[in-house]
Amino acid sequence: NSLTSSRHLQKYNPFQYFRSVPVEHCPNAYGLILGLQTNPNDPIFHLCYSGDTRPSSNLIRACEQLNKQRCSVSLLLHEATFDDDEKGKNEAIKKRHSTVQEAVQVANKINASACLLTHFSQRYPKLPPGHDMNINYGTRLNGNPEERGKLQSRVSVGFACDGMLIPLDEFILPRLLPLLSDATIQVIINKNKIEDFA
């Protein structure tokens, strides 16, 4: 369970190490931490994939161990199956999945550089849950009434969509994810307007 490099995997760069982590979903459900390095001169890109899960204390602890080694998660790819309304919260608990807010809270706890949300329920056929959340990145509320109700995040958050390609670059990704998500959501909204009109 340590994050030490595997000799077997080192032969197959870019994988510097991997670690599977039991998560709270069903028996034999695992999250994954990967260390990727495509160029020997570049820093290792640390990818944490939650898999299907409730917010996982095992996954958080594994990422905290990574932080203790003076590394941090470059990208958390976390499922956000349900929205944060009362029905979504209850379904998430019942079906052992996460809500958007729970996934963002995990990203904040592990100090990820960026978080890409994925695995949205079919009950949200047109837009991902939380797409209309007003996520306030990198700031605190400080009692400002205009800021109440915003989801607070120190982490850059984006919404994944089918076919999305992203650069695995720790410096570009935090700036890029919100822009990609906003653009994707605008395309979906406009597509839905055209379909509704036709």
Side-chain angles (χ1 to χ4, degrees):
N1 277 345
S2 70
L3 291 173
T4 56
S5 299
S6 166
R7 284 188 206 123
H8 177 71
L9 286 179
Q10 283 183 337
K11 289 190 265 183
Y12 302 100
N13 265 347
F15 302 105
Q16 297 300 306
Y17 65 81
F18 76 93
R19 178 178 178 187
S20 59
V21 181
V23 295
E24 293 82 15
H25 183 62
C26 63
N28 299 316
Y30 292 89
L32 179 68
I33 300 174
L34 282 175
L36 304 165
Q37 187 176 36
T38 55
N39 181 332
N41 298 325
D42 291 343
I44 296 174
F45 186 91
H46 300 93
L47 172 69
C48 177
Y49 172 59
S50 72
D52 289 359
T53 186
R54 291 288 300 137
S56 172
S57 58
N58 290 337
L59 199 61
I60 291 168
R61 273 193 301 276
C63 291
E64 287 171 345
Q65 287 178 356
L66 186 67
N67 290 337
K68 287 178 184 176
Q69 296 182 13
R70 297 193 175 157
C71 302
S72 63
V73 173
S74 308
L75 175 63
L76 171 64
L77 183 59
H78 203 290
E79 72 117 294
T81 305
F82 295 102
D83 211 340
D84 288 286
D85 59 12
E86 198 60 37
K87 184 176 180 182
K89 289 177 184 177
N90 290 334
E91 287 291 306
I93 292 168
K94 179 180 169 186
K95 296 184 178 181
R96 303 183 64 80
H97 286 284
S98 298
T99 67
V100 171
Q101 188 168 8
E102 288 171 335
V104 171
Q105 288 170 345
V106 170
N108 282 323
K109 285 180 183 176
I110 66 170
N111 293 314
S113 297
C115 177
L116 188 59
L117 304 175
T118 187
H119 189 53
F120 310 116
S121 171
Q122 290 292 327
R123 71 185 262 204
Y124 311 106
K126 294 188 177 190
L127 291 167
H131 76 278
D132 56 351
M133 280 184 128
N134 198 352
I135 299 177
N136 193 15
Y137 305 107
T139 60
R140 295 190 174 175
L141 290 179
N142 296 328
N144 183 346
E146 294 174 11
E147 299 292 307
R148 287 193 192 121
K150 289 186 177 182
L151 177 58
Q152 299 302 296
S153 178
R154 294 183 307 271
V155 176
S156 175
V157 178
F159 298 93
C161 64
D162 291 347
M164 179 182 268
L165 298 174
I166 56 171
L168 298 182
D169 184 307
E170 190 165 356
F171 302 105
I172 295 172
L173 205 51
R175 293 173 194 86
L176 183 63
L177 282 184
L179 298 173
L180 277 176
S181 294
D182 289 345
T184 301
I185 288 167
Q186 288 306 312
V187 167
I188 294 170
I189 288 170
N190 289 327
K191 179 181 176 272
N192 291 340
K193 284 180 184 176
I194 292 168
E195 288 175 357
D196 291 343
F197 182 74

